[in-house]
Amino acid sequence: RASIRTEIAPKEPLKAMVADAEEQKIPYMLVMGDKDVDAGAVSPRQGHGGKQLPMMKPAEFVTLVQDEIAKQMSVSQQQPSR
């Protein structure tokens, strides 16, 4: 399995954090507000367009990312080398 790198962003306005993540082409950003903490969930936001995904449990998010990584690795292995 591929590893997932994480980083905790410094406290700054949400709008600035989203803009910074999009500039750096970060594929996912997790925002945790009071509702998320109370629900034991995360609110993922996809980079490159900022599509907000539904609130989900952290384990569900990890599975989503691992599945996406596996899919991308499978596609890259199927492409002929030059």
Side-chain angles (χ1 to χ4, degrees):
R1 285 193 164 214
S3 62
I4 300 169
R5 290 182 294 157
T6 61
E7 179 180 320
I8 297 174
K11 289 186 177 184
E12 59 183 84
L14 181 60
K15 192 172 186 177
M17 286 192 295
V18 170
D20 187 45
E22 287 183 359
E23 183 179 304
Q24 292 183 43
K25 298 184 179 179
I26 294 172
Y28 290 99
M29 185 170 88
L30 296 180
V31 177
M32 292 188 67
D34 292 338
K35 289 180 185 178
D36 301 289
V37 172
D38 290 343
V42 294
S43 294
R45 181 182 184 105
Q46 265 183 326
H48 316 300
K51 179 182 174 188
Q52 185 70 43
L53 300 176
M55 187 184 289
M56 61 183 72
K57 299 290 182 190
E60 293 173 310
F61 175 72
V62 170
T63 300
L64 176 118
V65 172
Q66 288 175 331
D67 289 349
E68 185 173 318
I69 291 169
K71 180 181 170 185
Q72 289 179 2
M73 290 175 72
S74 174
V75 168
S76 68
Q77 290 174 356
Q78 292 176 2
Q79 294 177 354
S81 59
R82 293 178 186 211

